[in-house]
Amino acid sequence: WGAAMMSNGGDNGKLAKSVLPSLASLAGILVGGPAGLLILAIGFIGLLLYDEYEVKKGQLAQWYPHLRRPLTTIVVICLLFGAYAQIT
């Protein structure tokens, strides 16, 4: 939500969208178990795709995806391993 707060236009829609990942993560935590971890992994992937879209629109810095991609990949792999470990 930091990028939404920095916009000078006072775009409440952008600010509202910026809290959706937090709500999705809350759903994943409340569901718990492997399903909850999968919800979190899907949320991280979705947020990465949204960030890539925002970079293409010029709303985020061009260097941001170079940081975001590897970090998201590591997080998603860890979440999927955790889900797998709970299933087996």
Side-chain angles (χ1 to χ4, degrees):
W1 53 266
M5 296 288 289
M6 290 180 55
S7 66
N8 294 329
D11 186 0
N12 289 335
K14 185 179 267 192
L15 191 57
K17 283 188 245 178
S18 71
V19 294
L20 289 178
S22 298
L23 296 176
S25 66
L26 178 62
I29 291 169
L30 291 176
V31 168
L37 293 174
L38 289 175
I39 290 170
L40 291 174
I42 291 167
F44 272 98
I45 293 168
L47 187 56
L48 174 63
L49 294 174
Y50 178 74
D51 286 345
E52 296 272 357
Y53 171 75
E54 290 293 310
V55 168
K56 287 180 185 173
K57 281 183 16 182
Q59 299 297 316
L60 292 174
Q62 292 295 318
W63 58 263
Y64 187 65
H66 300 291
L67 174 68
R68 185 90 162 95
R69 283 184 209 119
L71 293 176
T72 299
T73 301
I74 292 168
V75 168
V76 168
I77 288 170
C78 290
L79 289 169
L80 293 177
F81 272 129
Y84 178 76
Q86 288 186 10
I87 292 171
T88 59

